[in-house]
Amino acid sequence: MVLVKVRPLDVFKKIIGEGEILLELEDGSNILDLLRVLKERYNIYERLYLMIMRNGRHVRFLEEGGRTMLEDEDIITIASPSPEVYKT
Amino acid sequence: MRWLSVAHPGHMEALKEIIRAGNGNIYEVYTGGSPDCIGTARSGLGRTTTEDIREQVEYAHSHGIRMNIVLNSSCLGGRHLTQDGHNLYRWYLNVLNDIGVDSVTVAEPFLVEMIAKEFPDIDITVSCIAFVNSPQKAMYYEELGAETIALDININKNFPVLQNIREAVSCKLKVLVNEGCILDCPFRYAHFNLLSHANGPEPRPPLKYEYYQQRCATMRVKHPELLISSGWIRPEDVKEYEAIGIDLFKISGRIQSVNWITNCVRAYSAREYHGNLLELLDSTRELRRLFYLPNDALEGAIEKWKVCDKNCYKCGYCKRLSKEILVYSGRRTPNEELKPLNEYLVVE
């Protein structure tokens, strides 16, 4: 098993309801597997815009993208823009 | 001469990329220390261990770059004045000293004095959130032991005050070039205190809502001139500050992604940028999607700001400028840094 820390920011933090969560995933899991777990556990709206980083690096700049394998103590930061901004 | 002080997320890969982008202009990189000892006024994306710092200090030194560790909580909750707290800080500073850290950034006057007395090998930078905004305050901190003072961003466009501070102290002066905070922001003190507790030692408040950040973003959407009157300094205008004796130019953004930081480093190293200035500002990222502030169109505005008396109510220059040059995209579609959850899951 791999133990990773998920650090939600902005709206995503409100959805998760916690500042940080520790998540245990099966060996060989990647970032997409983690997203699937979060989607199911927190019933996340599938059109919610997200920015995802692994240890401070945007998923777009990871060689394997979303298929990057997770390792113990990885910090996955997930942010979504605040709708408050758009309301005004 | 090296003149940039650059935000560093804290891992080796980022350090290598930042140094490469700096093109020989980086004087120092700065990153957060252990939040379990002394927090900082920024949230961290990762946790940098002592071993990480040691390795990165060596790498930075091998490129002639200094390493600064940021310990700039604006509120220590009185811990620094307890015996346990003092012992903990002394222990942690000893660790940083042993691994060759060149300087620390602190916002608390007690720490400035303590470090100056007990750790003469560690240089002290007074944080911009100590809000040094007058010659008098700068002199107090210099007397306490500051080697460098990062000035309050609210005086970035107040040249008479900057010049008076320069004349009053002999220590290095640093300005923060790319923070997008509101000029004279009413939330600034409260926000930094909140972040200091949220990113400091336990117990950390389990925040449900980042009131200050969201409120200030909303204010800027309602009053776009606030985007212009903010204290940022364009890459092209750095020379104006050098001319009055400012030594160092700090690029903020250690909670941003590495590619974002290197983009800023390249722009300031080149001293020119042709694009949306908001892309260089370390502020709420939604604003970059909503507004386009063409940097080229701001050429020459510094001449007005150099003599501005900061009475926005009477002046209205930034408001007029915002109406002339600021483009409101009005789009809700974020760029490629963001995509919906289902696209991550389906496309990949």
Side-chain angles (χ1 to χ4, degrees), chain A residues 7 10 13-14 17 32 35-36 39 44 46-53 55-61 66-67 75 77 79 81-82 84-86 88, chain B residues 11 13 17 44-47 207-209 214 217-218 221-222 257-259 285-286 290 331-334 336-345 348:
Chain A
R7 187 166 286 172
D10 300 346
K13 192 176 195 173
K14 285 190 191 176
L32 298 180
L35 286 179
R36 288 188 191 98
K39 181 174 185 279
I44 296 166
E46 63 178 19
R47 292 298 303 165
L48 182 72
Y49 278 87
L50 299 175
M51 185 190 71
I52 301 164
M53 291 193 277
N55 300 329
R57 180 167 287 253
H58 196 288
V59 70
R60 193 153 59 90
F61 296 95
R67 295 191 190 283
I75 296 179
T77 306
S82 160
E84 295 286 329
V85 170
Y86 302 114
T88 52
Chain B
H11 53 85
E13 279 182 42
E17 288 188 33
L45 294 171
R47 182 167 295 210
L207 300 177
K208 287 285 187 191
Y209 182 46
Q214 296 201 358
T218 306
V221 172
K222 280 183 179 168
S257 61
V258 180
N259 54 303
R285 59 186 156 267
E286 290 91 332
L290 280 180
R331 289 180 302 134
R332 292 190 56 172
T333 310
E336 69 274 18
E337 280 185 21
L338 289 157
K339 59 182 181 179
L341 175 62
N342 63 342
E343 284 184 27
Y344 278 107
L345 297 177
E348 291 274 354

Coordinates of all heavy atoms in Angstrom, one line a residue, chain A residues 7 10 13-14 17 32 35-36 39 44 46-53 55-61 66-67 75 77 79 81-82 84-86 88, chain B residues 11 13 17 44-47 207-209 214 217-218 221-222 257-259 285-286 290 331-334 336-345 348:
Chain A
R7 N -3.7 17.5 -0.3 CA -3.9 18.8 0.3 C -4.8 19.6 -0.6 O -4.5 20.1 -1.7 CB -2.5 19.5 0.3 CG -2.5 20.8 1.0 CD -1.1 21.2 1.3 NE -0.5 20.4 2.4 CZ 0.8 20.5 2.8 NH1 1.6 21.3 2.2 NH2 1.2 19.8 3.8
D10 N -8.7 26.0 -2.0 CA -9.8 26.7 -2.6 C -11.2 26.0 -2.4 O -11.4 25.4 -1.3 CB -9.6 27.1 -4.1 CG -8.3 27.9 -4.3 OD1 -7.8 28.4 -3.3 OD2 -7.9 28.0 -5.4
K13 N -11.2 22.4 -1.1 CA -11.1 22.2 0.3 C -12.4 22.2 1.0 O -12.7 21.5 2.0 CB -10.2 23.4 0.9 CG -9.7 23.2 2.3 CD -8.8 24.4 2.5 CE -8.0 24.2 3.7 NZ -7.0 25.3 3.9
K14 N -13.3 23.1 0.5 CA -14.7 23.2 1.1 C -15.4 21.8 0.8 O -16.1 21.4 1.7 CB -15.5 24.3 0.4 CG -15.1 25.7 0.9 CD -16.2 26.6 0.3 CE -15.7 28.0 0.5 NZ -16.7 28.9 -0.1
G17 N -13.9 19.3 3.0 CA -14.2 19.6 4.4 C -13.1 19.4 5.4 O -13.3 19.5 6.6
L32 N -4.6 9.2 -11.3 CA -6.0 9.0 -11.7 C -6.7 8.1 -10.8 O -7.9 8.3 -10.5 CB -6.0 8.5 -13.1 CG -5.3 9.4 -14.2 CD1 -5.4 8.7 -15.6 CD2 -6.0 10.7 -14.2
L35 N -7.8 10.2 -8.0 CA -9.0 11.0 -8.3 C -10.3 10.2 -8.3 O -11.3 10.7 -7.8 CB -8.8 11.6 -9.7 CG -7.7 12.7 -9.8 CD1 -7.7 13.2 -11.3 CD2 -8.1 13.9 -8.9
R36 N -10.2 9.0 -8.8 CA -11.4 8.1 -8.8 C -11.9 7.9 -7.3 O -13.1 7.9 -7.0 CB -11.1 6.8 -9.5 CG -11.0 7.0 -11.0 CD -10.9 5.7 -11.7 NE -10.5 5.9 -13.1 CZ -9.3 5.8 -13.6 NH1 -8.3 5.4 -12.8 NH2 -9.0 6.1 -14.8
K39 N -13.4 11.1 -6.0 CA -14.7 11.3 -6.7 C -15.8 10.5 -6.0 O -16.9 11.0 -5.7 CB -14.6 11.0 -8.2 CG -15.8 11.2 -9.0 CD -15.5 11.0 -10.4 CE -16.7 11.3 -11.3 NZ -17.7 10.3 -11.4
I44 N -17.8 14.1 -5.9 CA -17.3 15.3 -6.5 C -18.0 15.5 -7.9 O -18.0 14.6 -8.7 CB -15.8 15.3 -6.6 CG1 -15.2 15.3 -5.2 CG2 -15.3 16.5 -7.4 CD1 -13.7 14.9 -5.2
E46 N -18.5 16.1 -11.5 CA -17.5 15.8 -12.5 C -17.1 16.9 -13.4 O -16.1 16.9 -14.1 CB -17.9 14.6 -13.3 CG -19.2 14.8 -14.1 CD -19.5 13.6 -15.0 OE1 -19.1 12.5 -14.7 OE2 -20.3 13.8 -15.9
R47 N -17.8 18.1 -13.4 CA -17.4 19.2 -14.2 C -16.6 20.2 -13.4 O -16.4 21.3 -13.8 CB -18.7 19.9 -14.8 CG -19.4 19.1 -15.8 CD -18.6 18.8 -17.1 NE -18.0 20.0 -17.7 CZ -17.1 20.0 -18.6 NH1 -16.5 18.8 -19.0 NH2 -16.6 21.1 -19.1
L48 N -16.3 19.8 -12.2 CA -15.5 20.7 -11.3 C -14.1 20.9 -11.9 O -13.4 19.9 -12.1 CB -15.4 20.2 -9.9 CG -14.7 21.1 -8.9 CD1 -15.5 22.3 -8.5 CD2 -14.3 20.3 -7.6
Y49 N -13.7 22.1 -12.1 CA -12.4 22.4 -12.7 C -11.3 22.2 -11.6 O -11.5 22.7 -10.5 CB -12.2 23.8 -13.3 CG -12.8 23.9 -14.7 CD1 -14.2 24.1 -14.9 CD2 -12.0 23.7 -15.8 CE1 -14.7 24.2 -16.1 CE2 -12.5 23.8 -17.0 CZ -13.8 24.0 -17.2 OH -14.3 24.1 -18.5
L50 N -10.3 21.5 -12.0 CA -9.2 21.1 -11.0 C -7.9 21.4 -11.5 O -7.6 21.3 -12.7 CB -9.3 19.7 -10.6 CG -10.6 19.1 -10.0 CD1 -10.4 17.6 -9.8 CD2 -10.8 19.8 -8.7
M51 N -7.0 21.8 -10.6 CA -5.6 21.9 -10.9 C -4.9 20.9 -10.0 O -5.1 21.0 -8.8 CB -5.0 23.3 -10.7 CG -3.6 23.4 -11.1 SD -2.8 24.9 -10.6 CE -2.7 24.7 -8.9
I52 N -4.1 20.0 -10.5 CA -3.5 19.0 -9.7 C -2.0 19.0 -9.7 O -1.4 19.1 -10.8 CB -4.0 17.6 -10.2 CG1 -5.5 17.6 -10.1 CG2 -3.4 16.5 -9.4 CD1 -6.2 16.4 -10.9
M53 N -1.4 18.9 -8.6 CA 0.1 18.9 -8.5 C 0.5 17.8 -7.6 O -0.1 17.5 -6.6 CB 0.6 20.3 -8.0 CG 0.4 21.4 -8.9 SD 1.3 22.9 -8.4 CE 0.2 23.5 -7.2
N55 N 3.7 16.9 -5.4 CA 4.9 17.4 -4.8 C 5.3 18.8 -5.4 O 6.5 19.0 -5.7 CB 6.1 16.4 -4.8 CG 5.7 15.2 -4.1 OD1 5.0 15.2 -3.2 ND2 6.3 14.0 -4.6
G56 N 4.3 19.6 -5.7 CA 4.5 20.9 -6.2 C 4.7 21.0 -7.7 O 4.9 22.1 -8.2
R57 N 4.6 19.9 -8.4 CA 4.7 20.0 -9.8 C 3.4 19.7 -10.5 O 2.7 18.7 -10.2 CB 5.8 19.0 -10.2 CG 6.0 18.9 -11.7 CD 7.3 18.1 -12.0 NE 8.4 18.9 -11.6 CZ 9.3 19.5 -12.5 NH1 9.1 19.4 -13.7 NH2 10.3 20.2 -12.0
H58 N 3.0 20.6 -11.4 CA 1.8 20.4 -12.1 C 1.7 19.1 -12.9 O 2.7 18.7 -13.5 CB 1.6 21.6 -13.0 CG 0.1 21.8 -13.5 ND1 -0.4 20.9 -14.4 CD2 -0.8 22.7 -13.2 CE1 -1.7 21.3 -14.6 NE2 -1.9 22.3 -13.9
V59 N 0.6 18.4 -12.8 CA 0.4 17.1 -13.5 C 0.8 17.2 -15.0 O 1.2 16.3 -15.6 CB -1.0 16.6 -13.2 CG1 -2.0 17.3 -13.9 CG2 -1.1 15.1 -13.5
R60 N 0.5 18.4 -15.5 CA 0.8 18.6 -16.9 C 2.3 18.5 -17.2 O 2.7 18.2 -18.4 CB 0.3 20.0 -17.3 CG 0.2 20.3 -18.8 CD -0.8 21.4 -19.0 NE -0.6 22.6 -18.3 CZ 0.1 23.7 -18.8 NH1 0.6 23.6 -20.0 NH2 0.3 24.8 -18.1
F61 N 3.1 18.7 -16.3 CA 4.6 18.7 -16.5 C 5.2 17.4 -16.0 O 6.4 17.2 -16.0 CB 5.2 19.9 -15.8 CG 4.8 21.2 -16.4 CD1 3.7 21.9 -15.9 CD2 5.3 21.6 -17.6 CE1 3.3 23.0 -16.5 CE2 4.9 22.8 -18.2 CZ 3.9 23.5 -17.6
G66 N -1.2 12.1 -15.6 CA -2.1 11.5 -14.6 C -1.7 10.1 -14.2 O -2.2 9.5 -13.2
R67 N -1.0 9.4 -15.1 CA -0.6 8.0 -14.9 C 0.6 7.9 -14.0 O 1.2 6.8 -13.8 CB -0.4 7.3 -16.2 CG -1.7 7.2 -17.0 CD -1.5 6.2 -18.2 NE -2.6 6.3 -19.1 CZ -3.8 5.8 -18.9 NH1 -4.0 5.1 -17.8 NH2 -4.8 5.9 -19.7
I75 N 2.8 14.3 -1.8 CA 1.8 15.3 -1.4 C 1.1 15.7 -2.7 O 1.7 16.3 -3.7 CB 2.4 16.5 -0.8 CG1 3.0 16.1 0.6 CG2 1.3 17.6 -0.5 CD1 3.7 17.2 1.3
T77 N -1.6 18.1 -4.3 CA -2.3 19.3 -4.1 C -3.4 19.4 -5.2 O -3.1 19.3 -6.3 CB -1.4 20.5 -4.1 OG1 -0.3 20.3 -3.2 CG2 -2.1 21.8 -3.8
A79 N -6.5 21.9 -6.4 CA -7.1 23.2 -6.3 C -8.2 23.4 -7.3 O -8.2 22.8 -8.4 CB -6.1 24.3 -6.4
P81 N -10.9 26.7 -8.7 CA -11.1 28.1 -8.6 C -12.3 28.4 -7.8 O -13.3 27.7 -7.8 CB -11.2 28.7 -10.0 CG -11.5 27.5 -10.8 CD -11.0 26.3 -10.1
S82 N -12.3 29.6 -7.1 CA -13.4 29.9 -6.3 C -14.5 30.6 -7.1 O -14.3 31.5 -7.8 CB -12.9 31.0 -5.3 OG -14.0 31.7 -4.8
E84 N -16.7 32.3 -6.0 CA -17.0 33.7 -5.4 C -16.6 34.8 -6.4 O -17.2 35.8 -6.5 CB -16.2 33.8 -4.1 CG -16.7 32.9 -3.0 CD -18.0 33.3 -2.4 OE1 -18.3 34.5 -2.4 OE2 -18.7 32.4 -2.0
V85 N -15.4 34.5 -7.1 CA -14.9 35.5 -7.9 C -15.8 35.8 -9.1 O -16.0 36.9 -9.5 CB -13.5 35.0 -8.5 CG1 -13.0 35.9 -9.6 CG2 -12.5 35.0 -7.4
Y86 N -16.4 34.8 -9.6 CA -17.3 34.9 -10.8 C -18.6 35.5 -10.5 O -19.3 35.9 -11.4 CB -17.4 33.6 -11.5 CG -16.1 33.0 -11.9 CD1 -15.6 31.8 -11.3 CD2 -15.3 33.6 -12.8 CE1 -14.4 31.3 -11.6 CE2 -14.0 33.1 -13.2 CZ -13.6 31.9 -12.6 OH -12.4 31.4 -12.9
T88 N -19.4 38.2 -8.9 CA -19.6 39.7 -8.9 C -19.8 40.3 -10.3 O -19.4 39.7 -11.3 CB -18.3 40.2 -8.2 OG1 -17.2 39.8 -8.9 CG2 -18.2 39.9 -6.8
Chain B
H11 N 12.2 21.7 -3.3 CA 12.7 20.4 -3.7 C 13.8 20.6 -4.7 O 13.8 21.6 -5.5 CB 11.6 19.4 -4.1 CG 10.7 19.9 -5.2 ND1 11.0 19.9 -6.5 CD2 9.5 20.5 -5.1 CE1 10.0 20.4 -7.2 NE2 9.1 20.8 -6.4
E13 N 14.6 19.3 -7.7 CA 14.3 19.5 -9.1 C 14.0 21.0 -9.4 O 14.4 21.6 -10.4 CB 13.2 18.6 -9.5 CG 13.6 17.2 -9.8 CD 12.4 16.4 -10.3 OE1 11.6 16.9 -11.1 OE2 12.2 15.3 -9.8
E17 N 15.9 23.9 -11.8 CA 15.3 24.7 -12.9 C 15.3 26.2 -12.6 O 15.5 27.0 -13.5 CB 13.8 24.2 -13.0 CG 13.7 22.8 -13.6 CD 12.3 22.4 -13.9 OE1 11.5 23.3 -14.3 OE2 12.0 21.2 -13.8
G44 N 2.5 25.7 2.5 CA 3.5 25.0 1.7 C 2.9 23.9 1.0 O 1.9 23.3 1.4
L45 N 3.5 23.5 -0.2 CA 2.9 22.4 -0.9 C 3.6 21.1 -0.5 O 3.0 20.0 -0.7 CB 3.2 22.6 -2.4 CG 2.4 23.8 -3.0 CD1 2.9 24.1 -4.4 CD2 0.9 23.6 -3.0
G46 N 4.7 21.2 0.1 CA 5.4 20.0 0.5 C 6.1 20.3 1.8 O 6.1 21.5 2.3
R47 N 6.8 19.4 2.4 CA 7.5 19.6 3.6 C 9.0 19.3 3.4 O 9.3 18.2 3.0 CB 6.9 18.7 4.7 CG 7.6 19.0 6.0 CD 6.8 18.3 7.1 NE 5.5 18.9 7.3 CZ 4.8 18.9 8.4 NH1 5.4 18.4 9.5 NH2 3.7 19.4 8.5
L207 N -9.3 25.2 9.0 CA -10.1 26.2 8.3 C -11.1 25.6 7.3 O -10.8 24.7 6.6 CB -9.1 27.1 7.5 CG -8.1 27.9 8.3 CD1 -7.2 28.6 7.4 CD2 -8.7 28.8 9.3
K208 N -12.3 26.2 7.3 CA -13.3 25.8 6.3 C -13.4 26.8 5.2 O -13.9 26.6 4.2 CB -14.7 25.8 7.0 CG -14.8 24.6 8.0 CD -15.1 23.3 7.2 CE -15.4 22.2 8.2 NZ -15.4 20.9 7.5
Y209 N -12.9 28.0 5.4 CA -13.1 29.1 4.5 C -12.0 30.1 4.6 O -11.7 30.6 5.6 CB -14.4 29.8 4.9 CG -14.9 30.9 4.0 CD1 -14.9 30.8 2.6 CD2 -15.4 32.1 4.6 CE1 -15.3 31.8 1.8 CE2 -15.9 33.1 3.8 CZ -15.8 33.0 2.4 OH -16.3 34.0 1.6
Q214 N -10.5 35.2 -0.6 CA -11.7 35.3 -1.4 C -12.3 36.7 -1.4 O -12.7 37.2 -2.5 CB -12.8 34.3 -1.0 CG -12.3 32.9 -1.1 CD -13.3 31.8 -1.2 OE1 -14.5 32.2 -1.0 NE2 -13.0 30.6 -1.3
A217 N -10.1 38.9 -3.6 CA -10.3 38.7 -5.0 C -11.6 39.3 -5.5 O -11.6 39.9 -6.6 CB -10.3 37.2 -5.3
T218 N -12.6 39.2 -4.7 CA -13.9 39.8 -5.1 C -13.8 41.3 -5.2 O -14.3 42.0 -6.1 CB -14.9 39.5 -4.0 OG1 -14.9 38.1 -3.9 CG2 -16.3 39.9 -4.4
V221 N -12.2 42.2 -8.5 CA -13.1 42.1 -9.6 C -14.1 43.3 -9.7 O -14.4 43.8 -10.7 CB -13.9 40.7 -9.5 CG1 -15.0 40.6 -10.6 CG2 -12.9 39.6 -9.6
K222 N -14.5 43.7 -8.5 CA -15.4 44.8 -8.5 C -14.7 46.1 -8.8 O -15.3 47.0 -9.4 CB -16.0 45.0 -7.1 CG -17.2 44.0 -6.8 CD -17.7 44.3 -5.4 CE -18.9 43.4 -5.1 NZ -19.2 43.4 -3.7
S257 N 3.5 26.8 -9.0 CA 4.2 25.7 -9.6 C 5.6 26.1 -10.1 O 5.8 27.3 -10.3 CB 3.4 25.1 -10.8 OG 3.2 26.1 -11.7
V258 N 6.5 25.1 -10.3 CA 7.8 25.5 -10.7 C 7.9 26.2 -12.0 O 8.6 27.2 -12.1 CB 8.7 24.2 -10.8 CG1 10.1 24.5 -11.2 CG2 8.6 23.4 -9.5
N259 N 7.1 25.8 -13.0 CA 7.1 26.5 -14.3 C 6.7 27.9 -14.2 O 7.1 28.8 -14.9 CB 6.3 25.7 -15.3 CG 4.9 25.4 -14.9 OD1 4.7 24.8 -13.9 ND2 4.0 25.9 -15.7
R285 N -5.2 33.2 -8.6 CA -5.0 32.8 -10.0 C -6.2 33.0 -10.9 O -6.1 33.2 -12.1 CB -4.5 31.4 -10.2 CG -5.3 30.3 -9.6 CD -4.6 29.0 -9.6 NE -5.2 28.1 -8.6 CZ -4.7 28.0 -7.4 NH1 -3.6 28.6 -7.1 NH2 -5.3 27.2 -6.5
E286 N -7.4 33.1 -10.3 CA -8.6 33.3 -11.1 C -8.5 34.7 -11.8 O -9.1 34.8 -12.9 CB -9.9 33.3 -10.2 CG -10.2 31.9 -9.7 CD -9.6 31.7 -8.4 OE1 -8.5 32.3 -8.0 OE2 -10.2 30.9 -7.6
L290 N -9.5 36.1 -15.7 CA -10.6 37.1 -15.9 C -10.0 38.4 -16.6 O -10.7 39.0 -17.3 CB -11.2 37.5 -14.6 CG -12.2 36.6 -14.0 CD1 -12.7 37.2 -12.7 CD2 -13.4 36.4 -14.9
R331 N -14.5 35.4 -19.5 CA -14.6 34.0 -19.8 C -14.6 33.2 -18.5 O -13.9 33.5 -17.6 CB -13.5 33.5 -20.7 CG -13.6 34.0 -22.1 CD -12.4 33.4 -22.9 NE -11.2 33.8 -22.3 CZ -10.1 33.0 -22.2 NH1 -10.3 31.7 -22.5 NH2 -9.0 33.4 -21.6
R332 N -15.3 32.2 -18.5 CA -15.3 31.3 -17.3 C -14.5 30.1 -17.5 O -14.3 29.2 -16.7 CB -16.7 30.9 -16.8 CG -17.5 32.1 -16.3 CD -18.8 31.6 -15.6 NE -18.5 30.7 -14.6 CZ -19.4 30.2 -13.7 NH1 -20.7 30.7 -13.8 NH2 -19.2 29.4 -12.8
T333 N -14.0 30.0 -18.8 CA -13.2 28.8 -19.1 C -11.8 28.9 -18.7 O -11.1 29.8 -19.2 CB -13.3 28.5 -20.7 OG1 -14.6 28.6 -21.1 CG2 -12.7 27.2 -21.0
P334 N -11.3 28.2 -17.8 CA -9.9 28.3 -17.4 C -9.0 27.8 -18.4 O -9.4 27.1 -19.4 CB -9.9 27.4 -16.1 CG -11.3 27.1 -15.8 CD -12.0 27.1 -17.1
E336 N -5.3 25.9 -19.8 CA -4.9 24.5 -19.7 C -4.4 24.0 -18.4 O -4.3 22.8 -18.2 CB -3.9 24.2 -20.8 CG -2.5 24.7 -20.6 CD -2.4 26.2 -21.2 OE1 -3.5 26.8 -21.4 OE2 -1.3 26.6 -21.4
E337 N -4.2 25.0 -17.5 CA -3.7 24.5 -16.1 C -4.9 23.9 -15.4 O -4.7 23.2 -14.4 CB -3.2 25.7 -15.3 CG -1.8 26.1 -15.7 CD -1.2 27.2 -14.8 OE1 -1.8 27.3 -13.7 OE2 -0.3 27.8 -15.3
L338 N -6.1 24.2 -15.8 CA -7.3 23.6 -15.1 C -8.1 22.8 -16.1 O -8.3 23.2 -17.3 CB -8.1 24.8 -14.6 CG -7.6 25.6 -13.5 CD1 -8.3 26.9 -13.5 CD2 -7.9 24.9 -12.2
K339 N -8.6 21.7 -15.7 CA -9.6 21.1 -16.5 C -10.5 20.3 -15.6 O -10.2 20.0 -14.5 CB -9.0 20.2 -17.6 CG -8.1 19.1 -17.1 CD -7.5 18.4 -18.4 CE -6.6 17.2 -18.0 NZ -6.1 16.5 -19.1
P340 N -11.7 20.0 -16.1 CA -12.7 19.3 -15.3 C -12.3 17.9 -14.9 O -11.5 17.2 -15.6 CB -14.0 19.3 -16.1 CG -13.7 20.1 -17.3 CD -12.3 20.2 -17.5
L341 N -12.8 17.5 -13.8 CA -12.4 16.2 -13.3 C -12.7 15.1 -14.3 O -11.9 14.2 -14.5 CB -13.2 15.9 -12.0 CG -13.1 14.5 -11.4 CD1 -11.7 14.2 -10.9 CD2 -14.1 14.4 -10.2
N342 N -13.8 15.1 -15.0 CA -14.2 14.1 -15.9 C -13.2 14.0 -17.1 O -12.9 12.9 -17.6 CB -15.6 14.2 -16.4 CG -15.9 15.4 -17.2 OD1 -15.1 16.4 -17.0 ND2 -17.0 15.5 -17.9
E343 N -12.6 15.2 -17.4 CA -11.6 15.1 -18.6 C -10.3 14.5 -18.1 O -9.7 13.8 -18.9 CB -11.4 16.6 -19.1 CG -12.5 17.1 -19.9 CD -12.2 18.4 -20.6 OE1 -11.0 18.8 -20.7 OE2 -13.2 19.1 -20.8
Y344 N -10.0 14.7 -16.9 CA -8.8 14.0 -16.4 C -9.0 12.4 -16.5 O -8.2 11.7 -16.9 CB -8.5 14.3 -14.9 CG -7.8 15.6 -14.6 CD1 -8.5 16.7 -14.1 CD2 -6.5 15.7 -14.9 CE1 -7.8 17.8 -13.8 CE2 -5.8 16.9 -14.6 CZ -6.5 17.9 -14.1 OH -5.8 19.1 -13.8
L345 N -10.2 12.0 -16.1 CA -10.5 10.6 -16.0 C -10.8 10.0 -17.3 O -10.5 8.8 -17.5 CB -11.7 10.4 -15.0 CG -11.4 10.8 -13.6 CD1 -12.6 10.6 -12.7 CD2 -10.2 10.1 -13.0
E348 N -7.4 10.7 -20.2 CA -6.1 10.1 -19.8 C -6.1 8.6 -20.1 O -6.7 7.8 -19.7 CB -5.8 10.3 -18.4 CG -5.5 11.7 -18.1 CD -4.0 12.1 -18.3 OE1 -3.2 11.2 -18.6 OE2 -3.7 13.3 -18.2

